[in-house]
Amino acid sequence: MSTFDLSRRFASEALGTGLLVATVVGSGIMADALTHDTALALLGNTLATGAMLVVLITILGPISGAHFNPAVSLVFCLNRSLPARDLPAYLVAQVAGGIAGTIAAHLMFALPMLEVATKLRTGPAQWFSEGVATFGLVAVILAGLRFELKAVPWLVGLYITAAYWFTASTSFANPAVAVARSLTNTFSGIRPLDLPGFVVAELLGALIALALMGWLLKPETVQQSQPLKAEP
């Protein structure tokens, strides 16, 4: 458990989520401006996001755990790694930080501070993709913390880099990021109307991962055989 007080952990979660969203939105705007090739634009968006995740988790992880994601914070609350009393503060920090990240990206590219997204992202395939994406993210985090703690920043960054491409939804895997992306009418946007389906799918995927990995990573109990007693 972190030794930092809640105010600094709050700031860490807000800062990290903000920089993550600024990277997602800003790199999407830059990529879209530089090329009309959607695949190439997505590649630029992907690489920037994966790289930023490695950086943010490395430098902010020791302070707040570097969740930057309400689904991840919920999982850590349920497995008692995060006190329940701290969960609301983490959620507020993540959502507020994410919105601030969208504002920062817009200001850097001379766009209105906030816009309502019009990009359609809905349907069973998209929802299932988000469930799979978040399931994988949580599984990677939990297994990484168990077996290779120092590698977690790279594991998460590499997973999201891959998930951008193998999921139909381009792997939001994060309710706070989804909310922030509903406020940009750019390459990375999502219609506010489509948010509920994404958020529900993300939370379900996270909870399924918690249940499965809780069983999969549980240490094996070694039963010691009782010594045979000599008969009189």
Side-chain angles (χ1 to χ4, degrees):
M1 188 175 294
S2 175
T3 58
F4 290 84
D5 60 43
L6 183 58
S7 63
R8 285 186 285 180
R9 286 184 284 135
F10 180 96
S12 171
E13 286 296 303
L15 175 62
T17 312
L19 288 173
L20 174 59
V21 171
T23 301
V24 172
V25 175
S27 64
I29 296 170
M30 177 68 82
D32 201 31
L34 293 177
T35 180
H36 296 295
D37 185 330
T38 304
L40 188 58
L42 181 61
L43 179 61
N45 195 209
T46 302
L47 295 176
T49 303
M52 181 57 80
L53 276 168
V54 174
V55 173
L56 292 175
I57 296 171
T58 300
I59 64 172
L60 298 177
I63 301 175
S64 66
H67 300 179
F68 315 142
N69 186 333
V72 172
S73 294
L74 176 61
V75 164
F76 282 130
C77 181
L78 291 174
N79 73 6
R80 300 182 181 179
S81 299
L82 176 70
R85 65 179 180 275
D86 294 347
L87 180 61
Y90 270 59
L91 302 185
V92 170
Q94 291 155 1
V95 173
I99 294 172
T102 295
I103 293 172
H106 282 192
L107 292 177
M108 287 190 287
F109 288 91
L111 296 175
M113 290 177 65
L114 294 172
E115 300 173 315
V116 177
T118 59
K119 192 162 188 174
L120 178 68
R121 296 182 190 265
T122 190
Q126 293 277 312
W127 301 330
F128 181 65
S129 293
E130 276 305 288
V132 170
T134 314
F135 169 87
L137 174 62
V138 171
V140 165
I141 292 170
L142 294 177
L145 290 173
R146 170 73 186 282
F147 297 123
E148 200 62 51
L149 179 61
K150 291 184 179 180
V152 168
W154 286 97
L155 294 173
V156 172
L158 289 171
Y159 173 79
I160 291 298
T161 299
Y164 255 79
W165 287 85
F166 80 77
T167 63
S169 61
T170 65
S171 185
F172 285 44
N174 186 330
V177 169
V179 170
R181 288 172 67 165
S182 73
L183 299 173
T184 179
N185 196 27
T186 60
F187 182 80
S188 59
I190 174 176
R191 294 187 312 169
L193 185 63
D194 300 335
L195 275 179
F198 267 56
V199 171
V200 169
E202 290 158 358
L203 294 177
L204 285 175
L207 293 175
I208 293 170
L210 174 62
L212 176 63
M213 300 307 287
W215 168 76
L216 191 62
L217 299 175
K218 186 176 181 179
E220 188 69 27
T221 301
V222 178
Q223 294 183 348
Q224 294 182 348
S225 58
Q226 296 294 325
L228 295 176
K229 294 183 179 179
E231 293 185 4

